[in-house]
Amino acid sequence: MGNSSDLLSIKDLSVSFGGLKALSNVSLDLHTNEVVGLIGPNGAGKTTLLKLLDGLIKPDTGTITYSFDPRTVLVLHHTPMIKASTRTNMAMVRDVDSSITESDITQVMEQVGISSLASSPAHKLSAGERQKLCLGRAILQKPNLVLLDEPTANLDPTTTEQVEDLIRQFEQQGVNVIFTSHQLAQVQRVAEYIIFVDQGQIKEKGPVGPFFSNPQTSAAKRYLHQELLA
């Protein structure tokens, strides 16, 4: 499990949209060098939590404290592309960080396996190719925390495997990863630590093995049972 120093600490976090509570009194301490799987039913608050960690939205109450200067990258499930080539879409990260070179871009396109698509129009890419482009942009930003929302939804098994491999590469380079997924087999393959969110609250958390073999709460038992039936 590597070095278990604190990565971030969430205290009494709540956020509402239009009067509806998306997250309510969430508290959590996460450690560095762990791939964290964020699971739970649709509408439980998983994407909201990722957006809060990225600073994309602000909580109504509560705090998020990082033990380091966070360089977060959030890859949402639907990332729009501009009508330009794949390479141009990849190079957009230079707007954020001008120190990224052309050779960095070439290298990362190779790493994620989309070199051959450099001049293809990005808005015509398949879901898998688009996801690799998004992950490539994330790699170029040299983050220390990567937040992925359903990174392999609607992808074929081969591409799913390639994306899981990229998640492991982040971890090998000391980058922390938190990802949401409905694929429980994937969560067991990739994550080391589980956060189970239900109705805007963290109902259970802990190492991946014990969570799946012996969930402690009725909410987690129910969720696992329903997902396994599905």
Side-chain angles (χ1 to χ4, degrees), residues 182-195:
H182 280 288
Q183 300 173 34
L184 297 184
Q186 172 178 70
V187 173
Q188 287 173 285
R189 281 194 301 273
V190 181
E192 294 155 288
Y193 191 86
I194 293 292
I195 301 168

Side-chain angles (χ1 to χ4, degrees), residues 56-149:
L56 201 60
I57 54 179
K58 297 279 177 271
D60 299 330
T61 58
T63 56
I64 301 173
T65 315
Y66 288 92
S67 61
F68 58 89
D69 184 17
R71 282 176 68 102
T72 59
V73 172
L74 171 64
V75 179
L76 288 169
H77 179 37
H78 295 290
T79 305
M81 298 289 152
I82 59 166
K83 282 199 169 181
S85 71
T86 297
R87 188 181 176 98
T88 303
N89 272 272
M90 190 75 133
M92 281 172 69
V93 291
R94 295 182 72 178
D95 299 346
V96 184
D97 181 354
S98 54
S99 72
I100 295 167
T101 64
E102 288 297 330
S103 69
D104 291 337
I105 292 166
T106 303
Q107 197 183 337
V108 169
M109 287 186 79
E110 219 153 276
Q111 184 185 339
V112 298
I114 56 172
S115 301
S116 61
L117 301 165
S119 53
S120 306
H123 62 283
K124 292 191 174 163
L125 295 177
S126 72
E129 290 159 354
R130 189 177 283 227
Q131 190 62 321
K132 289 178 193 172
L133 193 162
C134 291
L135 287 168
R137 287 203 289 219
I139 292 165
L140 281 167
Q141 292 173 67
K142 299 185 182 63
N144 46 27
L145 175 59
V146 174
L147 307 163
L148 304 172
D149 194 23

Side-chain angles (χ1 to χ4, degrees), residues 34 36 47 50 63 75 121 128 148 182 192 211 226:
E34 279 184 327
V36 176
T47 305
L50 292 183
T63 56
V75 179
L148 304 172
H182 280 288
E192 294 155 288
F211 175 84
Q226 282 168 346

